[in-house]
Amino acid sequence: MRLPWPRFVRALAAHWRVGLLLCVTTLLWMAHYDRWTLSSWELPTNYYGDSLEILARIHAASEGDSVPFRPQVMSRLGAPFGANWSAYPSSDLLLIWLLGKVAAVIGLFPTANIALLLATISAALSFYGCARWLRVRWEWAFASALLFAFTYQTFHRGLPHLFIVFSWTVPLALLSAGIVAASRRVRLRSGMGWFCVGTAAVVGVGNPYTLFLFLQLVGWAVVGQWLGARRRENIVTGLVTIAVGIAAFFLVECHVWLFAPDTAAVSPIVRNYGGTERYALKPIELFLPPATHRWEPLAFLGQRYVRWSDWRMGEAFASYLGLVGIAGFIWLAVVSIAAVLRRRRLPGAALPVAWVLAFASVGGLTNLLAFFTGITVFRATNRYSMFVSAIVLLFLALRLTRLAWLRPRWISLGAAAAVAVIGLADEMPRATPRVRQQEVARRVTADIEFGERLERLLPDGAMIFQLPVMGFPEVVPPYHLPDYEHFRPFLGTQTLRFTYGSLKGRSRGRWQREIAALPPVKMVRRLEAYGFAAVYLNRRGFPDHGEKLLAQLAEAGRTERLESTYGEQVVVLLRPARVPLVPVAHALTFGYGWHEPRPGEPRWAYGPAALSYFNPHRREVRGEIRLIMQSVGPRHLLIRVNGGDPIEANLGVHRHVVRIPVELSPGVNRLDLESIEPAVREGMGQDQLRTFAIYSSEVRIVAPALAVAAPPRT
């Protein structure tokens, strides 16, 4: 019996090359981040800004809170009710859940490091597999896979944009679109058909930016088939691929529509047309090396861009293709121009690159879409540079493979190695300075020590009120306090509950702002009645570093306090009531339909508008809502409470008091306000379309429910 030794050897060789790619990618990653010891894996690569939100999400998932297809309530945040993040679109929810399972076993910070490493490894393996499927020689597939995995975006974004770093679906998305567009016959039940559908599923549950462009590319592939060869199988496969991608997205994001309790509130992700210009892809940034480039001549170009450009945002230089990628882009451009001049067929890579540039560039189709349709959620189209990078690297690998067939193998191997070394040296930034690593280590160690001291002093489940009060996510923080800093005590503890984390613009957390506005003596009494065991201050959020407030708390008799190692975090102990009351707000919360507030002016509505109120009791309560209102002229107002019969009110240019008797159901109650007369534009500036305005609102409970210690079920 003859054994298939050649096939067996080829299979072993293929696995050996994949293993080598895995090892090289891992070693390069460990070398850059200096992760050679077990202790180094106990520290995150970043512990500032958006990194804290990523870590908080994984930490909450490790405690069983962030579970797909369920209400996204973070039990130790937004105390005492829990932070309901159901209305917050969370990309890669399945990935967060999986990372949470890992963190529950090995710890939060090692998991964050493993996640970053897996993002890089998966990108390399995915690109290598797609390149080999396209018949790229293994050495060129190997080199280009490394360059794609270690493109500058990987390091520029890092932990703060962890889910964008997971770019392994980009090569799969490009290959799937190419299969639908160019294959002779792709049956839905064939291997390639299942590959396209499977890719749509994994892209759909991942980053929405990748899904949005993937749907466009597959859509154009279907249009091309319909206008060209009309291959029915390809069209069916493409349409099913699009449907599966959309269905997967809505399935993983179902919590936004099914479990968001405050239907009157605006989305916590605030976007506008201006953002689609500021964060759009700027083609020049594809060719601009970062200002911190390891080679001074290239760094000079980035520094000049920093000095000269007025449109730089926080994601500048993330689009940099690298020297090898730029060479591939130029080669593709030259070949495409030559094909046009000679009236020949364009290379397959030209059309997707042209579409990405036409759609994502500043002033391009993305701005037209945002301006005329209001779809502004996909504002940061600079992130589509990963598609450009993948396309030009695949094009380059294919072209170099063709050239290599006519030359000795050792020349091809040497050239591929040289390209990989030059490309990696160009794209991989300088290693993080040791001083920066030490600062991260000090902050993490101090937070863990501070958290352990708090948990030794306070009972399990104790509630801590955090000052200054901040919404979540993406708010303008007070003074020198960076956004998401309030997550730090949460990350350093396992049992304590904190008030930070309530979604901004929700009536569920309205009571926090009202408490923070009280004089310290009244604030202490109210918090203790609500069962809070401590007040937390981050000194960076106060102009005087919180000294005045700490002195006032001491005058109120609350002198026992703990400070973190560096003194920026302070906890003042309280005397919580044995049978706590539930926090109740005394004002309404503005929802959709309102202009942003301006100092000294009422809050104007520009059309039908909504307000909400959160009743924390387990039973219905009776009360009265008191609104002080005016309008741009005589008009009739219809007010509905929880969709009930309308209550009429007549308004004018002078202030008018509107009283509304209500029966407030447990949970979120909604008030809809609509003017019979249309809105009036009073000027050409922003926020000039107006109907009616509210100066103040007050909710008076006439017959409250009995005080309860536990919040209602969400």
Side-chain angles (χ1 to χ4, degrees):
M1 179 179 178
R2 185 177 179 182
L3 297 176
W5 290 113
R7 183 182 302 174
F8 177 73
V9 172
R10 285 197 300 269
L12 284 181
H15 289 301
W16 174 80
R17 292 161 186 164
V18 171
L20 179 61
L21 178 62
L22 179 65
C23 291
V24 172
T25 304
T26 302
L27 291 174
L28 287 172
W29 186 92
M30 293 174 63
H32 175 77
Y33 287 108
D34 192 20
R35 292 298 184 266
W36 298 112
T37 63
L38 290 178
S39 60
S40 65
W41 284 81
E42 293 289 340
L43 297 174
T45 58
N46 192 300
Y47 198 63
Y48 306 88
D50 290 354
S51 294
L52 297 174
E53 182 195 351
I54 297 295
L55 293 170
R57 284 180 169 277
I58 298 174
H59 194 39
S62 71
E63 297 175 347
D65 287 338
S66 188
V67 180
F69 320 122
R70 286 174 50 185
Q72 300 298 296
V73 180
M74 310 302 127
S75 58
R76 289 208 298 123
L77 297 172
F81 308 121
N84 193 325
W85 290 0
S86 296
Y88 185 15
S90 52
S91 65
D92 297 89
L93 185 58
L94 289 175
L95 177 61
I96 294 171
W97 177 71
L98 291 173
L99 293 176
K101 293 294 184 182
V102 177
V105 177
I106 68 173
L108 173 62
F109 300 131
T111 300
N113 284 306
I114 289 175
L116 265 180
L117 175 58
L118 285 177
T120 310
I121 290 174
S122 60
L125 295 179
S126 172
F127 190 98
Y128 180 83
C130 292
R132 292 293 286 162
W133 191 91
L134 293 171
R135 301 183 183 279
V136 173
R137 294 184 72 163
W138 78 265
E139 61 268 24
W140 290 109
F142 192 102
S144 54
L146 285 176
L147 295 180
F148 178 76
F150 289 102
T151 186
Y152 183 74
Q153 176 175 261
T154 301
F155 304 100
H156 179 83
R157 300 192 183 279
L159 186 59
H161 287 172
L162 174 65
F163 306 124
I164 300 176
V165 178
F166 271 93
S167 57
W168 67 280
T169 55
V170 170
L172 301 180
L174 291 171
L175 182 57
S176 298
I179 288 173
V180 175
S183 295
R184 293 183 178 179
R185 189 177 186 184
V186 183
R187 294 181 177 177
L188 182 60
R189 295 185 180 182
S190 66
M192 289 192 297
W194 284 114
F195 174 82
C196 294
V197 173
T199 297
V202 298
V203 172
V205 300
N207 191 280
Y209 275 93
T210 304
L211 173 65
F212 190 45
L213 190 56
F214 170 66
L215 295 177
Q216 296 175 45
L217 295 177
V218 177
W220 278 119
V222 171
V223 171
Q225 287 287 355
W226 180 264
L227 297 177
R230 286 183 178 268
R231 299 184 181 96
R232 181 177 177 276
E233 293 86 353
N234 294 43
I235 294 174
V236 170
T237 300
L239 292 176
V240 172
T241 296
I242 293 173
V244 168
I246 295 174
F249 171 77
F250 280 100
L251 181 64
V252 79
E253 295 290 340
C254 66
H255 55 84
V256 175
W257 297 276
L258 297 180
F259 306 120
D262 201 336
T263 57
V266 297
S267 171
I269 304 297
V270 179
R271 299 290 184 262
N272 54 38
Y273 173 78
T276 65
E277 291 183 341
R278 289 190 296 272
Y279 292 96
L281 175 65
K282 302 167 183 64
I284 190 175
E285 291 185 357
L286 295 171
F287 312 103
L288 279 178
T292 56
H293 199 282
R294 64 173 68 243
W295 297 333
E296 290 301 327
L298 296 181
F300 170 78
L301 297 176
Q303 293 163 7
R304 171 178 287 183
Y305 184 66
V306 170
R307 294 193 305 269
W308 290 3
S309 175
D310 292 330
W311 283 87
R312 288 181 297 103
M313 300 304 295
E315 300 184 9
F317 302 118
S319 304
Y320 178 53
L321 295 177
L323 295 178
V324 176
I326 292 172
F329 188 97
I330 294 173
W331 193 348
L332 175 60
V334 170
V335 172
S336 301
I337 294 172
V340 171
L341 295 177
R342 297 173 182 176
R343 297 183 179 182
R344 294 181 179 178
R345 185 176 181 180
L346 287 171
L351 292 178
V353 168
W355 174 251
V356 172
L357 294 178
F359 178 81
S361 297
V362 60
L365 297 176
T366 182
N367 295 127
L368 292 175
L369 185 67
F371 188 85
F372 289 105
T373 68
I375 300 177
T376 59
V377 64
F378 297 101
R379 61 173 182 173
T381 51
N382 68 84
R383 298 172 183 179
Y384 292 142
S385 62
M386 285 301 294
F387 279 82
V388 178
S389 177
I391 294 169
V392 297
L393 286 174
L394 282 171
F395 170 81
L396 190 64
L398 283 166
R399 291 285 169 157
L400 292 173
T401 293
R402 293 179 185 176
L403 293 177
W405 285 118
L406 303 177
R407 288 163 178 79
R409 191 56 178 265
W410 66 269
I411 294 180
S412 179
L413 291 170
V419 168
V421 170
I422 294 173
L424 290 172
D426 165 46
E427 294 201 61
M428 293 181 67
R430 296 168 181 170
T432 305
R434 185 58 58 89
V435 175
R436 177 82 169 183
Q437 296 183 41
Q438 292 173 349
E439 176 61 25
V440 170
R442 284 195 295 266
R443 283 167 58 90
V444 171
T445 303
D447 285 358
I448 293 176
E449 178 187 350
F450 188 53
E452 291 175 348
R453 290 168 59 196
L454 283 175
E455 291 189 312
R456 286 196 298 266
L457 190 63
L458 300 175
D460 290 353
M463 297 188 298
I464 299 177
F465 188 83
Q466 292 178 272
L467 292 172
V469 171
M470 295 174 59
F472 170 84
E474 296 179 354
V475 299
V476 178
Y479 299 102
H480 301 294
L481 181 65
D483 206 1
Y484 307 127
E485 280 285 299
H486 274 348
F487 277 132
R488 290 173 62 187
F490 169 67
L491 298 176
T493 57
Q494 304 297 325
T495 62
L496 302 180
R497 293 187 286 164
F498 301 89
T499 51
Y500 179 66
S502 298
L503 284 186
K504 63 184 180 184
R506 266 49 185 182
S507 55
R508 192 184 184 96
R510 169 80 192 189
W511 70 273
Q512 294 186 30
R513 298 192 296 276
E514 296 180 4
I515 290 292
L518 294 175
V521 174
K522 291 185 178 180
M523 179 178 67
V524 166
R525 292 174 183 170
R526 193 76 64 82
L527 289 175
E528 290 179 341
Y530 292 157
F532 280 84
V535 173
Y536 166 97
L537 285 79
N538 192 309
R539 291 181 180 272
R540 301 177 68 185
F542 299 87
D544 64 345
H545 302 289
E547 291 296 340
K548 180 180 179 181
L549 179 57
L550 290 172
Q552 292 172 328
L553 291 175
E555 291 176 2
R558 305 303 179 264
T559 57
E560 189 177 0
R561 70 189 195 189
L562 277 73
E563 294 197 29
S564 64
T565 303
Y566 299 102
E568 60 184 10
Q569 301 178 90
V570 184
V571 168
V572 179
L573 301 185
L574 302 179
R575 302 163 189 169
R578 292 185 177 180
V579 182
L581 303 175
V582 174
V584 177
H586 297 86
L588 299 173
T589 300
F590 289 91
Y592 70 83
W594 303 91
H595 291 303
E596 290 298 316
R598 292 184 176 183
E601 294 187 9
R603 190 79 177 266
W604 283 96
Y606 52 82
L611 301 163
S612 62
Y613 181 81
F614 182 68
N615 172 17
H617 299 290
R618 295 185 184 276
R619 52 186 287 187
E620 187 178 82
V621 299
R622 297 198 313 274
E624 181 185 73
I625 294 176
R626 181 175 179 268
L627 303 173
I628 300 180
M629 305 184 66
Q630 77 169 75
S631 64
V632 293
R635 61 181 55 233
H636 300 84
L637 188 67
L638 300 180
I639 304 174
R640 289 182 172 84
V641 180
N642 293 328
D645 295 331
I647 300 172
E648 297 186 11
N650 296 319
L651 301 179
V653 295
H654 301 291
R655 299 188 186 186
H656 182 75
V657 178
V658 178
R659 290 183 171 88
I660 309 168
V662 293
E663 294 183 352
L664 300 171
S665 303
V668 178
N669 294 262
R670 172 172 172 165
L671 280 76
D672 290 283
L673 296 81
E674 183 176 3
S675 172
I676 296 177
E677 294 80 9
V680 176
R681 183 172 294 280
E682 295 194 327
M684 296 306 296
Q686 291 184 341
D687 302 342
Q688 295 302 309
L689 188 65
R690 297 179 173 183
T691 52
F692 49 85
I694 292 180
Y695 281 88
S696 65
S697 67
E698 183 181 2
V699 180
R700 297 178 178 177
I701 303 300
V702 177
L706 297 175
V708 292
R713 293 181 179 179
T714 56

